[in-house]
Amino acid sequence: AYNTPYYSTMKRHEMSHRDEKPFKCQFCVYTAVQKHQVTLHELEVHASIKPHKCPDCDYETARKFDLKKHRQNVHGNYDDENDCDANGDKSD
């Protein structure tokens, strides 16, 4: 059974089981449980804004996590210490 001390986290979890996705993309039929998911979708799919760029190839993405997975899967990079975000700062 899922357990969390946070009310809002539990509500989102419950919504996912009821297939409740109140946040809608303004450009297509995409919906999500959280607003930030729609924002990322709109940036990546509709605005083609992809600030996270792979230093080893031409791969670009709107999501930092997707870049990390790409680097692990494609380039074998598991060194988080040297990962940088789009503006050159160390990642958190």
Side-chain angles (χ1 to χ4, degrees), residues 21-83:
K21 298 178 178 179
F23 299 99
K24 299 174 182 10
C25 174
Q26 61 182 324
F27 304 109
C28 71
V29 296
Y30 178 83
T31 58
V33 173
Q34 295 179 298
K35 184 175 178 19
H36 82 272
Q37 294 170 315
V38 173
T39 301
L40 282 173
H41 161 82
E42 289 176 351
L43 289 173
E44 185 171 40
V45 174
H46 301 294
S48 296
I49 296 174
K50 300 176 181 181
H52 301 286
K53 301 176 187 339
C54 180
D56 303 312
C57 70
D58 292 335
Y59 179 81
E60 300 175 343
T61 183
R63 297 174 175 94
K64 188 175 184 178
F65 177 78
D66 290 346
L67 175 59
K68 179 179 177 181
K69 294 309 287 180
H70 162 81
R71 293 191 73 205
Q72 289 174 348
N73 294 335
V74 175
H75 305 296
N77 182 321
Y78 294 93
D79 184 12
D80 291 337
E81 290 293 315
N82 295 321
D83 286 349

